[in-house]
Amino acid sequence: MFQKVLIANRGEIAARVIATARRMGIATVAVHSDADATALHVTLADEAVRIGPAPVAESYLNGQAIIAAALRTGAQAIHPGYGFLSENPGFVDAVEAAGLVFIGPPASAIRAMGLKDAAKRLMEAAGVPVVPGYHGEDQDPERLAREAEAIGYPVLIKARAGGGGKGMRLVEDPAAFPAALESAAREAQASFGDPACLIEKYISSPRHIEVQVFADTQGTTVHLFERDCSLQRRHQKVIEEAPAPGMTAPVRAAMTAAAIQAARSIGYRGAGTVEFIADGSGPLREDGFWFMEMNTRLQVEHPVSEAITGLDFVELQLRVAAGEPLPFTQEDLHIEGHAIEARLYAEDAERGFLPATGQLTHLAFPPATAFRRGPVRVDAGVRQGDEITPWYDPMIAKVITHAPDRSAALHLLGQTLDATRIAGSTTNLAFLAALTRHPDVQAGKVDTGLIARDLGLLAARPPLPPEAPALAALAALDLLDPPTGADPWDALTGWRGWSNAESFVTLDHRGENHALKIEHLGQGRFRVTDGADTTALTLLANNGDLRFESGGLIRSAGVAQTADTITVFLNGQSFGFHPVLPQGETGHTHSGDAISAPMPGLVAKLHTTPGATVTKGDPLVVLEAMKMEHILTAPRDGRIAEVLVIEGDQVSDGTTLVRLEGEDA
């Protein structure tokens, strides 16, 4: 077994690998960019090496710097995690040429599956069913448009390299094909350095089901059952579970046999995932699934498979890479219970899942158990006080629950998400909790279009409960500590000879000011007036969680404060408030004539010039953030007055990019 391993990754997966290595007595080396100098994975590792500045091309994609770090520290092997260099066969060759072990499949297997078009041709030859489509080398846009017509709309444009939903576009109208192809190719080039795309028939009501496989160097290849990853937004997974809802023994046998055949056909070694698209319009069928791609690495969602099998997949990776045989046969493996994982991101579901940034001023999860089997598991790559930057994937953590059956696991996941508290950045926490309560999700009727169909409901802004501004007002006035009874003067707190003591505070919530009057009634009792609403509440205890009574109900809440923000956690939601000082004004004035960056990013493409006439909805600027493209459109008909950026500019959140002439111009 290895004595020291370098992890060529960051964040949650780096921390995950370090945890297993430490349990096995293996020393670890972390690598980091300048932006990650104090990151969690750096503090957890035994040693850490700087490999470059913040941009991934100059740090986490710098294979030579990573190999040099391994040689310098005496590491014997490199674990790639997922993303970055994990599926780069050139990196594997370089690692092995340096005399190091790559903890993953051979370069030949990665090459075989690295380009989706070639992989599909290979799978057809191996007898694995594939989705109808065009997987050829000719990338002439007119040829691709003709192929799309021949396949029949709707079609899916997919980058042949990479994954994660990048370089993928659904096209339902032939007129939209050229622009969608250009955008997909540009995003594929930015993400994977390869603009080539393939065209596939879009399966209506598709389900995304994948099979976990493992292979050792002794010739044993096994499957570790399937996962359902159908709950996706923008072709990226949100919630995954194992086993797949509605899976039958005959379909499982057919799908896992196809997955093992796929792995054996390329001489696979280590952990891998064979992904299938299945017809979700009715019950799963033995002839109703098709090969989509193979991920030649550990998957983000591997914890749900660990939970139902009781195995540590990182340990298995290390042992297989060290030449050990798999310690079990297929007959030894069985499914125990059901597991579900939610990906917690810094992103704004209300605004089309735009990535968010900010410092995590408050981050608290419910108590979790050890990884693998346990009711609740949290795999986090950040901690309280860390910064979510625009440089990398905005994942905060993965929340995994495991229970005897699917209903219990889903209910536990919802409870765990409701009890998670985050302040300092916009997150998808409330969206995930709403998704666990969606009736079709609860019934197991999932497909890849579910979130898009019901996004308005799932991402709806929760109503502001009157207790939230009331508690925020008390926090602003430092009044959240209930009386202990130890001080005999507590009973007279707030008493005045002529009336109750009163305090006043103004709070901004999402751009709306709340002028609140607080009446001190003594002994932890207050009456808070907010316009026409009056809320009476009594503070009962404050031991991390605040217990209070209002309207005859006793409830719990949480409050997190910074110098300029008060966040109230109530009813499974978070509500942010900003104190408004009497002598100043808060907020920003936004002109309807200005098109501003909704997040930090790179100006990838400009679709307009000064003086151009535009119609409402016309694309103006393509902004790239976290390797995804976001198209900013004209808010109204008009003429372009100014274009304030050029392609290639790096801009911050709120930067004005384009300005329209005034409507009276």
Side-chain angles (χ1 to χ4, degrees):
M1 182 48 65
F2 311 114
Q3 279 76 53
K4 184 183 288 189
V5 170
L6 180 141
I7 299 105
N9 218 294
R10 65 177 300 280
E12 166 268 325
I13 184 57
R16 164 73 185 87
V17 174
I18 290 169
T20 289
R22 178 175 294 161
R23 183 174 58 78
M24 296 175 67
I26 301 171
T28 55
V29 180
V31 293
H32 68 87
S33 70
D34 290 340
D36 277 343
T38 60
L40 178 63
H41 73 282
V42 173
T43 63
L44 291 174
D46 297 295
E47 299 173 77
V49 180
R50 176 192 178 274
I51 51 171
V56 293
E58 301 174 52
S59 53
Y60 295 106
L61 290 178
N62 187 343
Q64 290 305 314
I66 290 170
I67 292 170
L71 295 173
R72 174 184 168 190
T73 56
Q76 301 150 298
I78 294 179
H79 193 300
Y82 41 68
F84 296 134
L85 296 170
S86 63
E87 294 178 284
N88 185 318
F91 179 64
V92 180
D93 289 337
V95 168
E96 293 176 347
L100 303 168
V101 175
F102 180 77
I103 301 173
S108 59
I110 298 177
R111 285 191 174 94
M113 289 299 185
L115 298 179
K116 296 182 181 71
D117 52 357
K120 288 176 188 296
R121 292 193 293 268
L122 183 64
M123 290 301 100
E124 283 182 302
V128 178
V130 301
V131 178
Y134 173 73
H135 311 133
E137 293 290 337
D138 188 351
Q139 290 292 301
D140 179 71
E142 292 186 4
R143 169 67 185 276
L144 295 178
R146 290 196 303 271
E147 293 291 345
E149 289 279 3
I151 294 166
Y153 286 88
V155 299
L156 203 59
I157 301 172
K158 298 175 68 174
R160 71 176 183 178
K166 298 177 178 67
M168 187 180 296
R169 300 291 186 273
L170 170 63
V171 187
E172 301 177 282
D173 181 355
F177 185 87
L181 176 62
E182 180 186 354
S183 178
R186 189 169 53 244
E187 192 170 86
Q189 175 65 43
S191 299
F192 317 119
D194 183 354
C197 294
L198 53 86
I199 315 296
E200 285 184 351
K201 178 66 179 174
Y202 181 73
I203 307 298
S204 61
S205 302
R207 287 181 62 179
H208 181 136
I209 300 176
E210 58 190 34
V211 176
Q212 176 73 55
V213 296
F214 253 98
D216 60 23
T217 55
Q218 284 75 25
T220 300
T221 304
V222 300
H223 72 82
L224 290 91
F225 310 104
E226 80 285 346
R227 299 184 286 261
D228 193 300
C229 308
S230 300
L231 290 173
Q232 303 178 8
R233 88 288 189 264
R234 298 192 311 188
H235 307 294
Q236 290 185 300
K237 301 166 186 175
V238 175
I239 286 183
E240 304 100 347
E241 57 183 303
M247 180 59 71
T248 64
V251 176
R252 177 176 288 131
M255 193 175 286
T256 55
I260 288 177
Q261 177 61 25
R264 285 176 174 162
S265 71
I266 59 171
Y268 202 75
R269 180 185 71 231
T273 302
V274 182
E275 301 194 346
F276 297 97
I277 188 169
D279 182 358
S281 60
L284 294 172
R285 309 187 319 273
E286 293 171 69
D287 62 350
F289 67 88
W290 304 271
F291 172 84
M292 189 162 53
E293 62 182 313
M294 183 174 186
N295 285 295
T296 52
R297 54 174 168 79
L298 197 65
Q299 289 280 85
V300 177
E301 57 272 21
H302 74 274
V304 294
S305 296
E306 289 184 322
I308 66 167
T309 60
L311 298 169
D312 181 336
F313 288 4
V314 174
E315 178 180 348
L316 292 177
Q317 284 187 297
L318 292 165
R319 294 195 181 282
V320 166
E324 297 181 19
L326 288 169
F328 47 73
T329 65
Q330 189 68 66
E331 291 69 30
D332 295 325
L333 301 170
H334 65 278
I335 295 172
E336 183 175 318
H338 200 99
I340 308 181
E341 171 183 296
R343 300 190 189 189
L344 180 54
Y345 281 100
E347 63 182 14
D348 192 339
E350 279 188 66
R351 302 171 67 197
F353 300 101
L354 288 178
T357 57
Q359 185 182 29
L360 297 174
T361 56
H362 186 84
L363 179 63
F365 296 99
T369 55
F371 70 77
R372 288 187 282 175
R373 284 202 175 122
V376 178
R377 167 177 166 181
V378 175
D379 285 11
V382 293
R383 76 225 125 155
Q384 184 168 297
D386 283 353
E387 188 88 17
I388 303 295
T389 74
W391 296 110
Y392 312 117
D393 184 275
M395 180 184 284
I396 295 171
K398 301 181 306 193
V399 180
I400 307 103
T401 55
H402 180 228
D405 56 57
R406 183 177 187 273
S407 178
L410 189 62
H411 180 68
L412 180 58
L413 179 61
Q415 286 184 316
T416 304
L417 294 169
D418 284 344
T420 298
R421 295 173 178 175
I422 306 175
S425 178
T426 302
T427 75
N428 66 342
L429 184 59
F431 163 79
L432 292 172
L435 196 53
T436 68
R437 293 187 280 269
H438 189 288
D440 284 349
V441 173
Q442 292 189 336
K445 298 177 181 178
V446 294
D447 65 73
T448 60
L450 184 148
I451 289 176
R453 287 194 303 271
D454 287 348
L455 181 57
L457 177 66
L458 292 167
R461 185 184 305 177
L464 181 65
E467 297 85 0
L471 290 170
L474 295 181
L477 297 169
D478 199 21
L479 295 173
L480 282 182
D481 288 328
T484 63
D487 187 346
W489 294 101
D490 280 345
L492 298 177
T493 301
W495 181 86
R496 300 292 186 274
W498 54 93
S499 67
N500 295 318
E502 295 179 349
S503 301
F504 299 87
V505 65
T506 300
L507 301 173
D508 170 85
H509 173 67
R510 303 184 72 106
E512 180 180 348
N513 280 355
H514 293 255
L516 300 126
K517 180 177 77 171
I518 300 91
E519 295 179 72
H520 303 243
L521 306 180
Q523 296 184 300
R525 297 178 298 118
F526 300 91
R527 184 184 298 116
V528 182
T529 302
D530 179 9
D533 296 325
T534 299
T535 302
L537 51 83
T538 302
L539 303 179
L540 303 175
N542 190 0
N543 300 312
D545 251 19
L546 179 68
R547 295 284 285 175
F548 70 96
E549 182 274 328
S550 182
L553 295 176
I554 295 176
R555 283 177 285 170
S556 293
V559 177
Q561 280 183 268
T562 63
D564 60 356
T565 304
I566 300 167
T567 305
V568 176
F569 305 101
L570 183 65
N571 303 336
Q573 305 281 349
S574 63
F575 305 93
F577 300 89
H578 305 282
V580 179
L581 300 177
Q583 66 271 26
E585 296 183 358
T586 62
H588 302 279
T589 330
H590 297 281
S591 166
D593 297 333
I595 293 84
S596 302
M599 86 234 25
L602 177 78
V603 178
K605 189 173 182 63
L606 290 171
H607 286 286
T608 192
T609 57
T613 300
V614 296
T615 302
K616 181 179 180 180
D618 282 353
L620 302 181
V621 182
V622 177
L623 193 67
E624 181 189 306
M626 298 172 184
K627 296 297 183 184
M628 297 293 287
E629 287 194 348
H630 308 276
I631 300 174
L632 308 182
T633 60
R636 61 171 174 83
D637 297 351
R639 186 182 300 275
I640 301 298
E642 295 178 284
V643 178
L644 302 169
V645 292
I646 61 173
E647 291 182 3
D649 278 357
Q650 187 77 37
V651 297
S652 58
D653 186 4
T655 299
T656 300
L657 310 175
V658 176
R659 196 181 302 278
L660 293 171
E661 290 182 356
E663 294 189 80
D664 55 353

